[in-house]
Amino acid sequence: MGAAHEKRTAAGTVTIQAVADAAGVSKTTVSHVLSGNRPVSPETRRRVERVMEDLGFTPNFFAQALNRNRSNSIALIAQDITNPFYPALARGLQAAVSSQDQVVMLFDAGADSGSLTHAFVTDAIQRRADGVVVAVSDVDDDIVRLRDAGIPVVAVGSGASSLPIDWVTADDERIAADAVMHLHLLGHRRIATIAGPLTHTPGKPRHVGYLRAMQDLDLPVDAALIQHGEWTRESGFDAMRRLIALRTRPSAVFCANDLMAIGALDAAHQAGLSVPDDIAIIGVDDIDAAGLVRPALTTVRIPAEEIGRAAGELLLHRITEGMTSTHRHVLVQHTLISRESA
């Protein structure tokens, strides 16, 4: 294999030609072994693979992607990766697409979701992403840009897009209604909410679900019982302090996500209130921390990894079938997890 070792790049990387020479086959045959797109006899495949291992050959996937006009990458544009829901979603997405040798590029839209999402979509187009999962709100214009570029898109979350595209979501209105119903069955009537931003998915549908449940149960609602957070622990803490300061404080609080619910727990503890004896708290998501805080948080579980896997499967189907096949919608089921806070 001495001659083969000489056929390296200036950086010392073994080339396909070196593998071909050492294995006694053509470069085309080595390429077929790497891609798996053309039949190669088992004996030849084994010989080529043995030579690649002996030489320490590492495939240049970027070059292969250029040749196929594909990047072998999926872009995930998430609302806020500091929220544990989104890393779990990303884990499920990666699990779904890794079988097709796809990797996930994670973009964090953060607080400035509009302008950053626009920039991330431009980046995904320039990088020739094979598909994009959008887990932010109000991005119809950017979804149109992706479709015009021939890039398949899957939206995550109710209200993420009004366009006819593939999407995966939980029933956010029903989630809120089930949480309020659970609190009502425990004997609570003065139930407050710490809602998420109404401009963000899933803030609005969960708020609508709260209001409809309160109306259906003939429970009193006034403006003071409705506080808004920003999906963060800190904003949940501040909102709960405002609720505690009311002349007649609520006996229970529905928080639109677990991070705000944990912040509400912090505020209750600081005020010397016992949870759930003095005030009950329920969240949404069932992030890992929900079972670790004290008291352990009662919450509505949304299977983030399952959502990510479903989005990945839809995206792979769209990549394979093209842009014209019927759009698919997946509704994942939620579960109420009863712990100690309510």
Side-chain angles (χ1 to χ4, degrees), residues 85-109:
F85 179 86
Y86 292 104
L89 188 153
R91 190 182 309 124
L93 175 61
Q94 181 66 67
V97 303
S98 61
S99 63
Q100 300 300 314
D101 294 326
Q102 297 279 0
V103 297
V104 175
M105 300 185 294
L106 179 59
F107 296 100
D108 178 20

Side-chain angles (χ1 to χ4, degrees), residues 251-294:
S251 65
V253 182
F254 162 62
C255 301
N257 80 340
D258 284 347
L259 285 180
M260 293 192 298
I262 292 172
L265 281 173
D266 295 338
H269 292 155
Q270 186 183 82
L273 298 177
S274 174
V275 178
D277 296 335
D278 295 326
I279 191 165
I281 299 172
I282 187 170
V284 178
D285 285 338
D286 195 27
I287 61 176
D288 289 343
L292 302 176
V293 295
R294 289 294 176 265

